[in-house]
Amino acid sequence: MSKDPVYVTRPSLPPLADMLPYLEKIWQTGILTNGGPMHQELELALARYLNVPYISLFSNATIALIAAFKALHLSGEVITTPYSFVATSHALLWNQITPVFVDIDPITLNLNPELIEAAITDKTTAILPVHCYGVPCNVDAIQAIADKYGLKVIYDAAHAFSVRQGQRSILSAGDLSVLSFHATKVFNTFEGGAIVSPDEASKRHIDHLKNFGFVDEVSVVEIGINGKMNEFQAAVGLLQLQRVDAAIQSRAEIDRYYREQLANVKGISFLHTPADWSSNFSYFPIQIGSEFPVSRDALYHHFKQHDIHPRRYFYPLIPEFEMYRHLASANIANLPVAKQVSERVLCLPIYPDMPLEVRQKIVDLIRTLGQGAEA
């Protein structure tokens, strides 16, 4: 077995030889950014693959989130989840918007629709759910609440690339969905992101926002930023799109292996995608319960002693960071499910080319600690 460290994921890269023709085209055109030919080609290819109306590419998903809130003219308060990567709520603060944290559902680990209405005030302008680990939110229930109160819905879909219900893409839910193409994601462009929008007018508005507000070389119509994806990122994306189905299939096999091998270990539980939705197998979170002989943190450190590096996604909770603690909604007593989950979840390594012996070692380390906890 390789003695290299095993991290929670490893970026999927196309063969270097396949990249060279794309680089040659970039050199031939001399176009490096500003919506070049590869950028345009990738937008069209992704819209087809994801079965969404319009998509706007960004340099990264955090800038895309910031632009999405600006595009919908959000202000005041936005209801969101405490259980996510901190960029979700940071993007709100960058827009001078106050996040209002609502507890999560214990089954999906997504924002709990049953708790949203109680958090709505006269300052609320939107709901910002996250499809955590790629498991779809209850989009119909959330939309019904938004319609009732006249609120916008923006989905942080960083984990949800290619998740669908038949031909229905999860990315079509809400007013806008934001994707991440970071190196750790199922589909990556090194760094990168995108906003999925429902119509041409919305896309045009977003495209102005990401390019300083320019319409043409003499007309500026928005207080825009520089959020453009460059041609190198787009070239990587075009290659990755050719391989992403195989990558998801490889992840599915690792997911199945973990579930089979750990099924009888008491105190270890899994997250499940609803049967009518597909999964992209972007993460493999387990929860370590009281029946397991050691705590989540003890298991985490045990792995690290063997040079395996799972992640405690997401720990601490966003409201526990200093810049959020002053908020009334950051009271952890009102977020009991999120708090408990944050202390129990461990994301095991999963990436397409993970060798079988590495999977076996990960499983063996859990089973060895869990001896006496097997059914």
Side-chain angles (χ1 to χ4, degrees), residues 146-162:
D147 292 344
K148 179 179 178 180
Y149 291 91
L151 305 176
K152 300 294 187 182
V153 181
I154 308 94
Y155 281 98
D156 182 334
H159 302 173
F161 185 89
S162 192

Side-chain angles (χ1 to χ4, degrees), residues 213-257:
F214 276 100
V215 175
D216 54 46
E217 63 182 39
V218 296
S219 302
V220 176
V221 296
E222 302 277 1
I223 304 174
I225 56 175
N226 184 6
K228 302 183 299 294
M229 176 179 283
N230 62 55
E231 288 290 271
F232 291 90
Q233 290 174 286
V236 172
L238 288 168
L239 275 173
Q240 299 286 48
L241 198 55
Q242 299 171 19
R243 300 156 44 88
V244 70
D245 287 339
I248 291 173
Q249 182 57 43
S250 295
R251 288 173 173 271
E253 293 171 3
I254 298 167
D255 180 287
R256 184 165 52 250
Y257 178 86

Side-chain angles (χ1 to χ4, degrees), residues 25-132:
K25 289 180 182 178
I26 292 173
W27 257 252
Q28 288 167 4
T29 65
I31 299 173
L32 305 183
T33 185
N34 289 348
M38 291 192 185
H39 174 284
Q40 295 179 44
E41 184 181 349
L42 181 58
E43 282 196 341
L44 293 173
L46 280 171
R48 286 194 301 269
Y49 177 84
L50 296 170
N51 194 26
V52 296
Y54 295 95
I55 193 165
S56 299
L57 298 176
F58 276 77
S59 55
N60 63 66
T62 303
I63 295 296
L65 277 170
I66 291 170
F69 304 151
K70 187 67 70 175
L72 294 177
H73 307 290
L74 302 187
S75 61
E77 298 176 349
V78 169
I79 294 170
T80 191
T81 173
Y83 190 72
S84 181
F85 185 63
V86 73
T88 302
S89 51
H90 274 4
L92 291 170
L93 294 188
W94 272 86
N95 279 278
Q96 289 78 53
I97 297 168
T98 301
V100 175
F101 299 110
V102 166
D103 208 3
I104 61 175
D105 179 271
I107 305 300
T108 66
L109 310 189
N110 292 324
L111 190 64
N112 190 337
E114 295 180 3
L115 304 176
I116 291 175
E117 285 194 76
I120 294 173
T121 71
D122 58 0
K123 297 179 181 179
T124 306
T125 56
I127 306 169
L128 173 60
V130 177
H131 301 299
C132 190

